[in-house]
């Protein structure tokens, strides 16, 4: 494992600024806009469901893009899709494992978001009265959504739903520890000057470093 080059608070802040410098979080780096509208939030949610599955993260990205490009870019549209069509699209995108079960989960997820929140996750936030603990609990009640999925979704959404910050998923924290940037979401929030949008960019960049094995590029060491 590479040895951290970070020796001071200023060095850590400098590296954090460099990592967050793209001005995009994880989802946006891979083509999924993170804006506070129903379609965007739902796409981030089903991307998070796919990312939480085992296997290469690129399969998850391909699957989420395929679902979106099929025209199922909102909860309402995905809820109206047929099971066999979801299976076809997911298989064509290279999904592995039990694709039938995954197609069921995505369909159930979409229908539940439509039934409970009229297809708009902003209503979930309103029902929770912007209480992050309640928001997490309501998200975890959705089909296919466990604590890992909640972390992945809120990693992105914290740029918009500021009350949930700080959030860092396990990949981002693994990279932070290895690079000497800290061991918790609170540590990373301190480096991001407390701004949830900048924190989302930093955490997303760290997750990419770990998933893409870009430690040598970041540290300058082989």
């Amino acid at each position: 494992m590479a040895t951290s080059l970070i020796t001071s608070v200023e060095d850590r802040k400098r590296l954090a600024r460099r990592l967050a410098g793209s001005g995009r979080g994880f989802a946006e780096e891979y083509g999924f806009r993170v804006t506070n509208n129903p379609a965007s939030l739902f796409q981030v949610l089903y991307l998070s469901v796919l990312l939480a599955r085992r296997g290469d993260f690129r399969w998850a990205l391909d699957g989420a893009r395929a679902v979106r490009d099929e025209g199922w870019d909102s909860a309402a549209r995905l809820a109206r899709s047929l099971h066999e069509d979801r299976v076809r699209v997911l298989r064509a995108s290279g999904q592995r494992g039990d694709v039938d079960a995954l197609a069921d989960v995505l369909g159930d997820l979409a229908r539940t978001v439509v039934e409970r929140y009229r297809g708009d996750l902003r209503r979930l936030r309103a029902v929770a009265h912007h209480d992050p603990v309640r928001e997490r609990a309501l998200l975890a009640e959705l089909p296919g959504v466990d604590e890992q999925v909640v972390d992945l979704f809120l990693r992105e959404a914290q740029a918009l739903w500021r009350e949930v910050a700080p959030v860092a998923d396990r990949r981002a924290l693994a990279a932070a520890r290895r690079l000497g940037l800290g061991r918790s979401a609170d540590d990373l929030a301190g480096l991001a000057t407390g701004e949830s949008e900048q924190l989302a960019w930093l955490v997303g960049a760290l997750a990419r470093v770990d998933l893409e094995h870009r430690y040598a590029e970041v540290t300058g060491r082989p």
Side-chain angles (χ1 to χ4, degrees), residues 32 43 46 62-74 77-78 80-82 84-93:
F32 289 86
Q43 288 169 38
Y46 66 64
D62 290 343
R65 291 187 189 110
V67 170
R68 180 192 61 194
D69 294 346
E70 188 69 16
W72 304 329
D73 56 353
S74 69
R77 287 174 177 155
L78 185 56
R80 291 194 295 267
S81 66
L82 298 176
E84 54 267 33
D85 288 334
R86 294 194 298 275
V87 170
R88 171 182 52 79
V89 168
L90 290 168
R91 282 189 174 145
S93 74

Side-chain angles (χ1 to χ4, degrees), residues 191-212:
L191 297 176
T193 65
E195 296 178 10
S196 62
E197 186 176 46
Q198 188 179 48
L199 176 60
W201 299 342
L202 172 59
V203 171
L206 286 168
R208 293 196 307 273
V209 167
D210 191 64
L211 284 164
E212 297 176 356

Side-chain angles (χ1 to χ4, degrees), residues 138-158:
L138 291 176
L139 285 166
E141 291 176 2
L142 297 172
V145 178
D146 59 15
E147 286 303 316
Q148 183 181 356
V149 175
V150 171
D151 280 343
L152 292 170
F153 174 76
L154 293 180
R155 175 184 71 190
E156 310 298 320
Q158 68 186 326

